[in-house]
Amino acid sequence: MERLEAERPTSEVEIPGPGVTFIRLAQCERPHDDALMFFLAQAESAGLHAEVAVETIMGDGLADFLENLVTDFRGWSGTRTWTSHRADLQLEAIHSGHWVDLRWTLRFPNPSEDPDDMWSATVRTPILPGEALTNLAREVRSFLYDE
């Protein structure tokens, strides 16, 4: 049976922020059909273009992290943080009442390689905690796991 268009895996996820700001996750690959996964994270904002290759082990729980934010849509205190296996991508989530403030930090090279030559860039993508966050969590799961 042929899959419907809505059921096809997501090949790219774009998370918009204010103005021209956005984060894009693209080109998810599992080169040896094992747990190691790579994808490209791109951040765009006024005067900024940053891009890193993110290395994860089976997505490092990013989809689960986002789904937990959806479950707690009414809010939480403090900052929740997800970090990729090699710390080349970090996501912080703060619930401010009506919004979930997502702060994405891209790092190159990852901090374990050469902290003296490292750069980082952080962009903010606020999102509504209801349907918009649910859709983002679903898209990221599809992107990472071809679901």
Side-chain angles (χ1 to χ4, degrees), residues 87-141:
D88 31 31
L89 180 62
Q90 181 175 344
L91 173 58
E92 294 180 325
I94 300 167
H95 199 293
S96 63
H98 299 293
W99 293 91
V100 176
D101 192 26
L102 299 177
R103 295 181 185 168
W104 305 80
T105 300
L106 287 66
R107 293 183 183 93
F108 182 83
N110 71 64
S112 67
E113 287 181 23
D114 190 355
D116 293 331
D117 287 336
M118 189 175 91
W119 60 259
S120 67
T122 302
V123 296
R124 177 181 166 263
T125 59
I127 190 167
L128 290 170
E131 185 177 345
L133 186 56
T134 300
N135 289 340
L136 173 60
R138 185 179 307 121
E139 287 177 22
V140 168
R141 179 162 297 283

Side-chain angles (χ1 to χ4, degrees), residues 3 6-15 25 28 30 37 39 56-71 82 91 104 132-147:
R3 295 173 87 177
E7 295 175 347
R8 289 195 180 144
T10 304
S11 61
E12 179 175 292
V13 177
E14 188 166 294
I15 304 107
L25 308 179
C28 188
R30 275 181 231 147
M37 297 169 63
F39 62 86
T56 71
I57 297 174
M58 289 302 295
D60 290 332
L62 176 57
D64 293 336
F65 176 82
L66 290 167
E67 288 166 357
N68 286 332
L69 300 180
V70 170
T71 301
W82 171 89
L91 173 58
W104 305 80
L133 186 56
T134 300
N135 289 340
L136 173 60
R138 185 179 307 121
E139 287 177 22
V140 168
R141 179 162 297 283
S142 176
F143 170 74
L144 292 172
Y145 305 114
D146 293 334
E147 293 179 354

Side-chain angles (χ1 to χ4, degrees), residues 17-23 42-50 122-124:
V20 296
T21 301
F22 68 86
I23 287 287
Q42 301 170 318
E44 295 276 344
S45 193
L48 170 75
H49 173 83
T122 302
V123 296
R124 177 181 166 263

